[in-house]
Amino acid sequence: GAGVSQTPSNKVTEKGKYVELRCDPISGHTALYWYRQSLGQGPEFLIYFQGTGAADDSGLPNDRFFAVRPEGSVSTLKIQRTERGDSAVYLCASSQTRVTEAFFGQGTRLTVV
Amino acid sequence: QQQVKQSPQSLIVQKGGISIINCAYENTAFDYFPWYQQFPGKGPALLIAIRPDVSEKKEGRFTISFNKSAKQFSLHIMDSQPGDSATYFCAASVNAGKSTFGDGTTLTVKP
């Protein structure tokens, strides 16, 4: 596709459930970022992949959050035992290399009820 | 600790006017300063970016002014149009890597 694609667009889940959020980056982009955006705030960095490896996961809030990128393309953000405070828009961005412009997807709006 | 502070939180300007949004940063290691535009339900889109070796960069109606000694930078939108109504975020990063964002400015341009 032409841009970064995130699925689903919206996800409503019950407190305590497990969720997976998917990101399809722009083809050929080696760098991939996950951000979380709460209402009225700017995106907050979660994790950065260079290829298949997580080069920087310093933004993950706790061990309930985990992300993978097994083949260096699609990435999945996994959240265990969801809490109401996890409700936010989760954004994915990709860039051709680490030092070039990052392009964002439209985000997945996660609501934990 | 908020490393990038953005103001104002909201801004209303008349069509044809100048919109000015300001940001201040703390980390002197930051060397890449982009501005993003975000419409409801969409992800942020890069508008314009600057590196600290220049004090100003202009692209069309959008200009970034950068003051390295004050650790401040600003976005100026000339001849503001209703279609510019959106939320604007400043950000800062080291070597264009992971970004630290401001909290955003909601701009409304009245026709």
Side-chain angles (χ1 to χ4, degrees), chain A residues 6 12 24 28 32 36 40 44 52 54 57-58 61 65-66 68 96 107:
Chain A
Q6 291 188 246
V12 180
D24 273 283
L32 186 146
R36 177 168 69 175
E44 178 186 22
T52 60
D57 64 358
S58 61
F65 289 75
F66 189 70
V68 296
Q96 195 165 21

Side-chain angles (χ1 to χ4, degrees), chain A residues 53-111:
Chain A
D56 183 347
D57 64 358
S58 61
L60 294 177
N62 51 59
D63 61 5
R64 295 187 298 105
F65 289 75
F66 189 70
V68 296
R69 195 185 184 198
E71 298 178 357
S73 178
V74 171
S75 176
T76 303
L77 178 66
K78 308 180 180 192
I79 309 174
Q80 299 178 325
R81 304 183 304 279
T82 51
E83 300 177 357
R84 293 196 178 89
D86 298 335
S87 297
V89 175
Y90 289 81
L91 294 164
C92 176
S94 72
S95 61
Q96 195 165 21
T97 69
R98 180 185 174 276
V99 297
T100 54
E101 176 189 351
F103 294 86
F104 281 83
Q106 83 285 1
T108 293
R109 180 175 297 279
L110 175 66
T111 303

Side-chain angles (χ1 to χ4, degrees), chain A residues 11-75:
Chain A
K11 175 72 176 177
V12 180
T13 190
E14 292 181 348
K15 179 176 178 294
K17 298 289 188 182
Y18 167 83
V19 297
E20 290 189 351
L21 312 179
R22 176 187 169 106
C23 173
D24 273 283
I26 294 172
S27 178
H29 281 194
T30 62
L32 186 146
Y33 302 83
W34 283 98
Y35 290 85
R36 177 168 69 175
Q37 186 173 23
S38 299
L39 192 63
Q41 297 184 10
E44 178 186 22
F45 170 77
L46 295 176
I47 186 169
Y48 155 61
F49 287 90
Q50 182 58 47
T52 60
D56 183 347
D57 64 358
S58 61
L60 294 177
N62 51 59
D63 61 5
R64 295 187 298 105
F65 289 75
F66 189 70
V68 296
R69 195 185 184 198
E71 298 178 357
S73 178
V74 171
S75 176

